[in-house]
Amino acid sequence: ANRMLYLLAAGALHGVPGAQGVWMTKNNEPESLDAFHAPVFNYHVLGMFDSGTNLMNAMGLANYQKLDEGFYKCHRDKWNGGSCMWKHTPPMDESDLGFRTVIDNHIATLKKLNHSVVMMVRNPISHLASWKKAPYQLHSCARNKKWDVILETSCDMDKPPRWPDDMVFPTFKAPGLVEVWNSYVRSYVDIAKAHENAMVMRYEDLVLEPEKSMKIFADFAGVEIPENFSAFAGA
């Protein structure tokens, strides 16, 4: 059921009638805000691999309009310039080979622009099970290993496929999957305490109670939730 919700909500949104925040004209140009009356909500999503970041983005785009959409599109050619942030960037302190200072500076910049940040977390049992099936950049921690080995294995966070060798990638020493989860969540909680425009959201809450979860985030950011809230793209 969770996977079906994800597939429906994270499907192709552009040009889909009912996906209010991304309504496009026949010339593939965005309509004016007055054309579909979608509230404006500029937000940024951070989270571990497979924590619901795509679902959160899809849910937002189905109901809101981002005026500064280009700010969120983080391509490889922009990472070194610091104009955007990879949503999975390790948030730990630099002493743990994380990028906490980079994230703090980024969120502070977002605050000046009146943008909000939501950091996605997920139940550790289901999350670790998901990583075992699809470990993303944690292959050396989880791929083809039994659980007793996984829980004791330390590894490096791998670069994504086809990432240019001459570009900085936020890699770090991963002290096993359990501590990876602990480190991310602990850091996200600390970041939320340090920044007025950042909060933590549970993936399970977004799946089971999408409208309530989005309203909590919208209230946090001082944004109205649409009257005709859509939990599914095109619904």
PDB file of all heavy atoms in Angstrom, residues 76 159-164:
ATOM      1  N   ARG A  76      24.503  18.157 -10.806  1.00  0.00           N
ATOM      2  CA  ARG A  76      25.903  17.922 -10.464  1.00  0.00           C
ATOM      3  C   ARG A  76      26.779  19.124 -10.781  1.00  0.00           C
ATOM      4  O   ARG A  76      27.726  19.411 -10.070  1.00  0.00           O
ATOM      5  CB  ARG A  76      26.412  16.689 -11.222  1.00  0.00           C
ATOM      6  CG  ARG A  76      25.829  15.386 -10.721  1.00  0.00           C
ATOM      7  CD  ARG A  76      26.482  14.217 -11.403  1.00  0.00           C
ATOM      8  NE  ARG A  76      26.335  14.261 -12.836  1.00  0.00           N
ATOM      9  CZ  ARG A  76      25.898  13.251 -13.578  1.00  0.00           C
ATOM     10  NH1 ARG A  76      25.565  12.119 -13.026  1.00  0.00           N
ATOM     11  NH2 ARG A  76      25.800  13.360 -14.866  1.00  0.00           N
ATOM     12  N   LYS A 159      30.228   7.242  -4.148  1.00  0.00           N
ATOM     13  CA  LYS A 159      29.757   8.246  -5.095  1.00  0.00           C
ATOM     14  C   LYS A 159      28.659   7.650  -5.969  1.00  0.00           C
ATOM     15  O   LYS A 159      28.702   6.470  -6.293  1.00  0.00           O
ATOM     16  CB  LYS A 159      30.904   8.713  -5.999  1.00  0.00           C
ATOM     17  CG  LYS A 159      31.861   9.705  -5.369  1.00  0.00           C
ATOM     18  CD  LYS A 159      32.826  10.225  -6.415  1.00  0.00           C
ATOM     19  CE  LYS A 159      33.763  11.269  -5.834  1.00  0.00           C
ATOM     20  NZ  LYS A 159      34.666  11.814  -6.871  1.00  0.00           N
ATOM     21  N   PRO A 160      27.690   8.466  -6.383  1.00  0.00           N
ATOM     22  CA  PRO A 160      26.672   7.967  -7.316  1.00  0.00           C
ATOM     23  C   PRO A 160      27.306   7.588  -8.643  1.00  0.00           C
ATOM     24  O   PRO A 160      28.370   8.102  -8.993  1.00  0.00           O
ATOM     25  CB  PRO A 160      25.725   9.162  -7.490  1.00  0.00           C
ATOM     26  CG  PRO A 160      25.991  10.044  -6.317  1.00  0.00           C
ATOM     27  CD  PRO A 160      27.437   9.856  -5.987  1.00  0.00           C
ATOM     28  N   PRO A 161      26.663   6.693  -9.384  1.00  0.00           N
ATOM     29  CA  PRO A 161      27.188   6.334 -10.709  1.00  0.00           C
ATOM     30  C   PRO A 161      27.311   7.565 -11.604  1.00  0.00           C
ATOM     31  O   PRO A 161      26.482   8.475 -11.548  1.00  0.00           O
ATOM     32  CB  PRO A 161      26.123   5.369 -11.242  1.00  0.00           C
ATOM     33  CG  PRO A 161      25.437   4.837 -10.032  1.00  0.00           C
ATOM     34  CD  PRO A 161      25.438   5.966  -9.036  1.00  0.00           C
ATOM     35  N   ARG A 162      28.352   7.607 -12.378  1.00  0.00           N
ATOM     36  CA  ARG A 162      28.596   8.661 -13.364  1.00  0.00           C
ATOM     37  C   ARG A 162      28.857  10.031 -12.745  1.00  0.00           C
ATOM     38  O   ARG A 162      28.794  11.049 -13.419  1.00  0.00           O
ATOM     39  CB  ARG A 162      27.426   8.744 -14.361  1.00  0.00           C
ATOM     40  CG  ARG A 162      27.230   7.472 -15.194  1.00  0.00           C
ATOM     41  CD  ARG A 162      26.067   7.607 -16.144  1.00  0.00           C
ATOM     42  NE  ARG A 162      24.806   7.791 -15.430  1.00  0.00           N
ATOM     43  CZ  ARG A 162      24.107   6.785 -14.897  1.00  0.00           C
ATOM     44  NH1 ARG A 162      24.554   5.546 -14.991  1.00  0.00           N
ATOM     45  NH2 ARG A 162      22.963   7.018 -14.268  1.00  0.00           N
ATOM     46  N   TRP A 163      29.160  10.077 -11.447  1.00  0.00           N
ATOM     47  CA  TRP A 163      29.525  11.358 -10.834  1.00  0.00           C
ATOM     48  C   TRP A 163      30.937  11.725 -11.289  1.00  0.00           C
ATOM     49  O   TRP A 163      31.853  10.934 -11.175  1.00  0.00           O
ATOM     50  CB  TRP A 163      29.479  11.235  -9.319  1.00  0.00           C
ATOM     51  CG  TRP A 163      29.560  12.554  -8.609  1.00  0.00           C
ATOM     52  CD1 TRP A 163      30.695  13.269  -8.347  1.00  0.00           C
ATOM     53  CD2 TRP A 163      28.484  13.313  -8.080  1.00  0.00           C
ATOM     54  NE1 TRP A 163      30.389  14.428  -7.681  1.00  0.00           N
ATOM     55  CE2 TRP A 163      29.041  14.488  -7.497  1.00  0.00           C
ATOM     56  CE3 TRP A 163      27.096  13.131  -8.021  1.00  0.00           C
ATOM     57  CZ2 TRP A 163      28.253  15.456  -6.882  1.00  0.00           C
ATOM     58  CZ3 TRP A 163      26.323  14.098  -7.411  1.00  0.00           C
ATOM     59  CH2 TRP A 163      26.898  15.246  -6.850  1.00  0.00           C
ATOM     60  N   PRO A 164      31.157  12.926 -11.815  1.00  0.00           N
ATOM     61  CA  PRO A 164      32.480  13.299 -12.322  1.00  0.00           C
ATOM     62  C   PRO A 164      33.558  13.170 -11.252  1.00  0.00           C
ATOM     63  O   PRO A 164      33.364  13.563 -10.102  1.00  0.00           O
ATOM     64  CB  PRO A 164      32.284  14.765 -12.739  1.00  0.00           C
ATOM     65  CG  PRO A 164      30.818  14.887 -12.999  1.00  0.00           C
ATOM     66  CD  PRO A 164      30.162  13.986 -12.006  1.00  0.00           C
TER      67      PRO A 164
END
